[in-house]
Structure formats: C-alpha cells, structure tokens
Amino acid sequence: MGELSTISTGVGIMAKLLFEAPELWRRLRDNPQLVDAFTDEVLRSHAPLMSNRRVATRDIEIAGVRIPEGERVTVMWASANRDESVFGDPDDIRLDRDPRLNLVYGAGIHGCPGAPPARLELRVLIEELILRVQRFVPIANEPPVRAFFPGSGFSNLLLIIW
Ligand code: HEM
C-alpha cells in the first residue's frame, strides 16, 4: 500500500471515530497536546496498513508454530495491534497507552521511514480541524462502507462537519 493511501485511509478512520466519540473530540479540542497520542492510538485500533509479507531467513518457532526457512509469512500488523493480551480491550481508545507497544508504523529494520512525516501530516490536519470544527455528524442513510482487505478503512464515508 502506498504512503498516500495509508494517510488518506487513516484520515477516514479518525473521522469515523470522531463522530462516534464526540467526547473524545471535546477532550482533544481542550488538550491539543494529546493529538499525537490520539492519532497513534486510533490507528492502533484500526490499522491503515493491514499487513506486510516476509520470507523466513531461517527455521524458527513462534508461539508453538514451526516456520521453515524460505517460508512466506504474512505479518498482520492490524492483528498484533489488537492483541488482547497486550492491550486489553482493543477498541478502548486510551491516550495514555505505552507508545512502545504501538505497531502502527511497524517495527525493526523495515519499520516505516515515513512515520515522522506521517505523524506531522496527521497532527497538522487535526490541529486545523480543532480550529474549525465543533463536531462531526454522519449523514443519515449513508452509513460508512468498510474497504476490503488488503485495503483498510472506508471506501465510502460521508459526514458533515459543523
Ligand atoms: C498513517 C500513515 C502510515 C502508516 C500507518 C504506515 C505504516 C507502515 C508500516 C506498518 C510499514 C511496514 C514496516 C515493516 O514491514 O516492518 C511501512 C513501511 C514503509 N513506509 Fe509507511 N506508513 C505510513 C506513512 C508513510 C509515509 C508518509 C511514507 C513516506 C513518506 C511511508 C513510507 C514507507 C516506506 C518506504 C516503507 C518500507 C520500509 C522498508 O521496507 O524498509 N509510509 N509503513
């Protein structure tokens, strides 16, 4: 998935959450220093980038599953970021989680090199919305339509900003 689509997918995911959780929008407007924690946490709960692929460089066993060298593996970021044993209720949007647990930008040597500009773009967007938008209202009879794997987010999301 290209970097442009991860950003635009992420914007849709955040917008959907903001009309579902108006109290969170009020909290952000009162505490703009929470914006970075907010964008990372929302995209933890609903990943813009679902997965990447790897080829095992050696035999290994992970969680009781033997993976032979040369095997193709799919790394499901979306699933890892919703692991109940790490995050409890993965739908619970909490702005005080340990940022080291968040895998929205991957991890290790192939971790997203675009994470700093991605966070910057999302922060500027939310800061500009804070200046202009009181609340987000979904359009009746036009429910959000989820995108299909390997896409993520919404293929259709109509809302009014107030
Ligand atoms: C919300 C936005 C974004 C998300 C959620 C995201 C997420 C990710 C993830 C999970 C990976 C995979 C890491 C891995 O396989 O270990 C990745 C890789 C990558 N991302 Fe992003 N990304 C975003 C925005 C961007 C932007 C804005 C750029 C460029 C400016 C970018 C450039 C890249 C590149 C080049 C890679 C491949 C790195 C490699 O294979 O070594 N990403 N991204």
Side-chain angles (χ1 to χ4, degrees):
M1 187 181 270
E3 60 278 4
L4 278 177
S5 52
T6 49
I7 294 276
S8 53
T9 301
V11 171
I13 290 168
M14 292 193 299
K16 160 92 164 16
L17 188 106
L18 288 172
F19 67 68
E20 285 177 344
E23 70 291 348
L24 198 53
W25 185 235
R26 274 194 296 277
R27 195 169 156 214
L28 275 184
R29 294 178 68 210
D30 292 343
N31 305 279
Q33 76 278 11
L34 294 175
V35 169
D36 283 335
F38 168 79
T39 57
D40 275 12
E41 170 67 351
V42 173
L43 303 185
R44 175 200 62 73
S45 77
H46 188 154
L49 178 67
M50 299 295 278
S51 62
N52 287 106
R53 285 166 292 176
R54 297 281 195 276
V55 176
T57 54
R58 59 186 167 90
D59 293 347
I60 193 167
E61 189 174 309
I62 301 177
V65 179
R66 203 183 74 78
I67 301 171
E69 182 182 341
E71 184 75 281
R72 290 162 184 240
V73 178
T74 294
V75 182
M76 272 288 174
W77 302 115
S79 176
N81 252 339
R82 295 180 55 80
D83 183 340
E84 294 88 344
S85 68
V86 178
F87 300 104
D89 177 358
D91 286 323
D92 188 12
I93 301 297
R94 285 182 28 199
L95 304 186
D96 60 351
R97 291 190 193 269
D98 181 348
R100 290 169 300 182
L101 300 175
N102 193 320
L103 294 172
V104 63
Y105 295 102
I109 57 168
H110 289 287
C112 178
R119 286 198 174 98
L120 177 65
E121 282 183 48
L122 296 173
R123 177 169 7 107
V124 170
L125 171 81
I126 297 284
E127 284 172 352
E128 291 300 313
L129 289 173
I130 283 175
L131 296 175
R132 294 169 173 78
V133 178
Q134 302 248 344
R135 62 194 174 102
F136 298 81
V137 185
I139 295 183
N141 305 324
E142 289 279 2
V145 180
R146 283 189 86 123
F148 288 105
F149 182 83
S152 182
F154 301 91
S155 57
N156 195 36
L157 179 74
L158 294 177
L159 51 83
I160 302 168
I161 50 178
W162 210 257

